[in-house]
C-alpha cells in the first residue's frame, strides 16, 4: 500500500507537465482546424487544404518511431524536452507563413505546409513520450486510470481548441492559432525540467538510422501516392507509378534491415504477438476516422451551416464532452477490473454508427442534429483512444515500452495521414463533380483550383442561386467523405473481437523516482 501511495504521489507531481504537453499536441490540430477556412480565404489554395493537415500528420508519422526508440535508449526526459522545443519552433514559423517577414503572401500556403511538417516532427515526440513516461512510472494495472486522465485531457483540449481557434479567427489574426502554442510549451518545459525523474535506461545504445531513413522515405512516398493520385496526377502517370515503386522498394528494404539490425526502430518480432498486431490495425483505422472528421466538420459547419468560427468550436462540444466522460469511465473500469477487451469492440460499433449518421447530412441539416451525430462519434472515440495504447504496452516487455507506445501512435498517425489524403481526394473529386453538374466544367475548375478561396464571407456575397449550388455541392461532398469512412470504421469492432484478454502485468522492476542515466552511444 505504501509503495502504491508513493508511486501515485510520484505521478501526481509530474502529471501537470504531462497534461500540458498532451494538450499542446491536441490543441494545435483543433485550433488550426477551426481556423482553416479563414487561412484558406487569405492564402488561397482550397485544393491544398488537406495538405496543411497532411504535412503535420506526415511529420508526426515519420518521426514517431524514432522518438520512441531513442527515448528507450537514451532516456525520455531530455528527448521529450527536445521534441517540445522543435514543436514550438515549428509553431512560430507557421504563424509567420505568408507574412512580410518571409516575403509576403505569395507562396504563403507552401510556406505554411512546410512549417507544419516541421511542427509535426516535434509533435511526434509529444504523445509518444507522455504515454511512455506514464508506463515508466506506473504498472499496467494502474495505467488505465492515468491514461484515462490523459485521454480526458485530450478531449478537453479538443473542446478548448475550437473555442480558442474560433475566438482567434473571429477577433484576432489566424496567426495566433500557432503563436498560442509558445507560452504553453514554455510552461511545460519548465515543469519537466524541475519535476520529472525517471527510471534508468539501457546503457548500450545504437540507433537504427538506416531503418529510420528507409521508413521515412517509404511512408512519404505512400502518402504522396494517396494525395496526388487522381488529383494532381492521373493514377497511371509516371509520377504516381514512380512513387509506388519507391514505396515498395524502400519498405521491402526496411523489412530486411529491421531483421538484421541490433536495435531496430520497429522490431518486427513484436508483430508475432496477436494482440499487438490487431491493436495496431485498430489504431490505424481509428486514425483514419478521427482525422477525417476533424478536417471536414468545421468546413461543413462554417460554410454550409453558416456558423462563425467561434460557434463552430462550440458545436463540437457534444463530441468532446462525450469522449471525455467515457475515457474517464473506461480508465477507472480497467484499473478496477483489469479487463479491457470489451471496450474497443463497443467503441468500434458506436463509432461506426456515428459515421453513418454524419453521412446522412445535407445542406438542410440543422446544427442541433449535427451535434447529436458528433456526440455519438465522441462516445465511440472515448472507448478507443486510451485502450489501444494500453493493449499495445501490455503486449511488450518493459524495455520496449517506448517502441510499443511509438508503434501505437505511429499506426494511428499513418492511418490519419492516409485518411486525410484519401478523404481530401474524395472531397475534391466529389466537390468538382457536384459543381460540374450544376455550373459546368469550366466554372467547377475555376472554383476548386483557381485560387480556391472558399471564405464564408465571400460566399455570402454571391448571388443566391450560385451560393445555394455551392453550399449543396459542399454538403454532398463532405457527407460523401463520412460515407466512405464507414467502410473503415466497421472493421474496428470486427478486428477487436479477436483480441485476447491477457491479465495486466504488475509493477515495473525498477523503482519509480530513480534518476535516469544517460550514457554515450556504444560504438
Amino acid at each position: 500500500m505504501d509503495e502504491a501511495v508513493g508511486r501515485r504521489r510520484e505521478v501526481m507531481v509530474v502529471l501537470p507537465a504531462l497534461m500540458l504537453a498532451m494538450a499542446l499536441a491536441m490543441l494545435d490540430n483543433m485550433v488550426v482546424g477551426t481556423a482553416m477556412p479563414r487561412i484558406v480565404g487569405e492564402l488561397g489554395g482550397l485544393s491544398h487544404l488537406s495538405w496543411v493537415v497532411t504535412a503535420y500528420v506526415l511529420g508526426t508519422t515519420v518521426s514517431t518511431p524514432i522518438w520512441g526508440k531513442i527515448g528507450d535508449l537514451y532516456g525520455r526526459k531530455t528527448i521529450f524536452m527536445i521534441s517540445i522545443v522543435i514543436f514550438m519552433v515549428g509553431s512560430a514559423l507557421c504563424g509567420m507563413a505568408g507574412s512580410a517577414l518571409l516575403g509576403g503572401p505569395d507562396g504563403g500556403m507552401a510556406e505554411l505546409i512546410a512549417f507544419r511538417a516541421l511542427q509535426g516532427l516535434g509533435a511526434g515526440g509529444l504523445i509518444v513520450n507522455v504515454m511512455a513516461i506514464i508506463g515508466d512510472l506506473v504498472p499496467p494495472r494502474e495505467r488505465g486510470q492515468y491514461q484515462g486522465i490523459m485521454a480526458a485531457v485530450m478531449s478537453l483540449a479538443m473542446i478548448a481548441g475550437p473555442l480558442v481557434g474560433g475566438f482567434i479567427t473571429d477577433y484576432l489574426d489566424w496567426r495566433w492559432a500557432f503563436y498560442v502554442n509558445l507560452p504553453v510549451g514554455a510552461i511545460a518545459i519548465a515543469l519537466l525540467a524541475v519535476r520529472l525523474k525517471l527510471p534508468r535506461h539501457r546503457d548500450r545504445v545504437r540507433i537504427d538510422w538506416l531503418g529510420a531513413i528507409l521508413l521515412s522515405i517509404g511512408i512519404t512516398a505512400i502518402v504522396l501516392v494517396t494525395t496526388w493520385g487522381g488529383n494532381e496526377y492521373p493514377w497511371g502517370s509516371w509520377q504516381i507509378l514512380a512513387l509506388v515503386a519507391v514505396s515498395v522498394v524502400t519498405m521491402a528494404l526496411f523489412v530486411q534491415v529491421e531483421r538484421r539490425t541490433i536495435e531496430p526502430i520497429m522490431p518486427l518480432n513484436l508483430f508475432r504477438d496477436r494482440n499487438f498486431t490487431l491493436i495496431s490495425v485498430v489504431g490505424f483505422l481509428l486514425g483514419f476516422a478521427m482525422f477525417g472528421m476533424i478536417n471536414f466538420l468545421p468546413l461543413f459547419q462554417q460554410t454550409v451551416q453558416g456558423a462563425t468560427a467561434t460557434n463552430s468550436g462550440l458545436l463540437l462540444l457534444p463530441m468532446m464532452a462525450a469522449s471525455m466522460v467515457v475515457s474517464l469511465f473506461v480508465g477507472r473500469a480497467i484499473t478496477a477490473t483489469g479487463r479491457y477487451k470489451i471496450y474497443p469492440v463497443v467503441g468500434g460499433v458506436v463509432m461506426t454508427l456515428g459515421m453513418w449518421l454524419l453521412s446522412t447530412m445535407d445542406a438542410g441539416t440543422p446544427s442541433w442534429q449535427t451535434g447529436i451525430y458528433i456526440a455519438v462519434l465522441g462516445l465511440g472515440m472515448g472507448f478507443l483512444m486510451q485502450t489501444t495504447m494500453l493493449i499495445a504496452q501490455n503486449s511488450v516487455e518493459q524495455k520496449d515500452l517506448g517502441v510499443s507506445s511509438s508503434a501505437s501512435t505511429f499506426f494511428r498517425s499513418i492511418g490519419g495521414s492516409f485518411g486525410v489524403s484519401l478523404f481530401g481526394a474524395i472531397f475534391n473529386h466529389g466537390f468538382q463533380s457536384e459543381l460540374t453538374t450544376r455550373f459546368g466544367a469550366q466554372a467547377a475548375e475555376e472554383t476548386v483550383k483557381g485560387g480556391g478561396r472558399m471564405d464564408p464571407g465571400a460566399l455570402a456575397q454571391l448571388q443566391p442561386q450560385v451560393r445555394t449550388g455551392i453550399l449543396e455541392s459542399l454538403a454532398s461532398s463532405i457527407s460523401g467523405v463520412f460515407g466512405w469512412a464507414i467502410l473503415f470504421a466497421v472493421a474496428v469492432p470486427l478486428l477487436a473481437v479477436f483480441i485476447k484478454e491477457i491479465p495486466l502485468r504488475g509493477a515495473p522492476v525498477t523503482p519509480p523516482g530513480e534518476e535516469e542515466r544517460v550514457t554515450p552511444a556504444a560504438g
Side-chain angles (χ1 to χ4, degrees), residues 34 162-171 302 307-315:
T34 307
L163 298 179
V164 173
F167 178 84
I168 289 172
T169 304
D170 286 340
Y171 301 105
Q302 292 180 41
T308 64
T310 300
N311 287 339
S312 175
L314 289 171
L315 290 171

Side-chain angles (χ1 to χ4, degrees), residues 93-108:
L93 290 173
C94 285
M96 293 187 287
S99 67
L101 292 174
L102 296 178
D106 292 339

Side-chain angles (χ1 to χ4, degrees), residues 230-245:
N231 186 22
E232 297 289 334
Y233 305 102
W235 285 106
S237 66
W238 70 265
Q239 293 94 337
I240 298 301
L241 294 178
L243 287 170
V244 171

Side-chain angles (χ1 to χ4, degrees), residues 186-314:
I187 295 172
I189 289 177
L191 290 175
L192 289 168
V194 174
R195 296 184 174 183
L196 181 59
K197 300 178 181 180
L198 294 174
R200 67 179 59 185
H201 293 259
R202 290 175 284 189
D203 292 337
R204 299 192 61 184
V205 297
R206 181 174 298 174
I207 300 297
D208 176 23
W209 292 115
L210 179 57
I213 292 171
L214 289 172
L215 181 64
S216 300
I217 294 173
I219 294 302
T220 301
I222 292 171
V223 173
L224 289 176
V225 168
T226 59
T227 303
W228 287 347
N231 186 22
E232 297 289 334
Y233 305 102
W235 285 106
S237 66
W238 70 265
Q239 293 94 337
I240 298 301
L241 294 178
L243 287 170
V244 171
V246 168
S247 63
V248 171
V249 171
T250 53
M251 295 308 293
L253 291 173
F254 171 75
V255 171
Q256 295 302 317
V257 169
E258 297 305 278
R259 287 177 174 175
R260 292 173 171 79
T261 190
I262 297 175
E263 290 286 356
I265 285 290
M266 187 174 293
L268 300 181
N269 64 304
L270 295 180
F271 294 95
R272 296 173 185 169
D273 185 281
R274 184 176 73 179
N275 278 11
F276 185 85
T277 301
L278 286 172
I279 209 62
S280 296
V281 178
V282 168
F284 177 88
L285 296 170
L286 176 60
F288 235 103
M290 186 168 63
F291 282 97
M293 176 277 303
I294 291 173
N295 198 34
F296 288 101
L297 265 179
L299 182 64
F300 182 87
Q301 292 168 325
Q302 292 180 41
T303 56
V304 178
Q305 295 181 328
T308 64
T310 300
N311 287 339
S312 175
L314 289 171

Side-chain angles (χ1 to χ4, degrees), residues 386-456:
Q386 85 279 9
T387 312
T388 54
M389 179 68 72
L390 178 68
I391 296 174
Q393 290 183 343
N394 196 49
S395 303
V396 304
E397 299 178 20
Q398 188 72 23
K399 67 182 180 65
D400 291 322
L401 197 65
V403 172
S404 69
S405 301
S406 66
S408 177
T409 306
F410 170 79
F411 284 107
R412 187 182 302 178
S413 296
I414 193 63
S417 182
F418 271 65
V420 170
S421 300
L422 179 60
F423 293 154
I426 292 171
F427 168 76
N428 287 331
H429 176 76
F431 186 43
Q432 187 163 355
S433 177
E434 291 283 341
L435 289 175
T436 299
T437 301
R438 289 178 168 87
F439 304 112
Q442 184 176 356
E445 184 74 17
E446 292 177 355
T447 303
V448 174
K449 294 185 178 180
R453 300 179 188 274
M454 195 58 59
D455 185 86

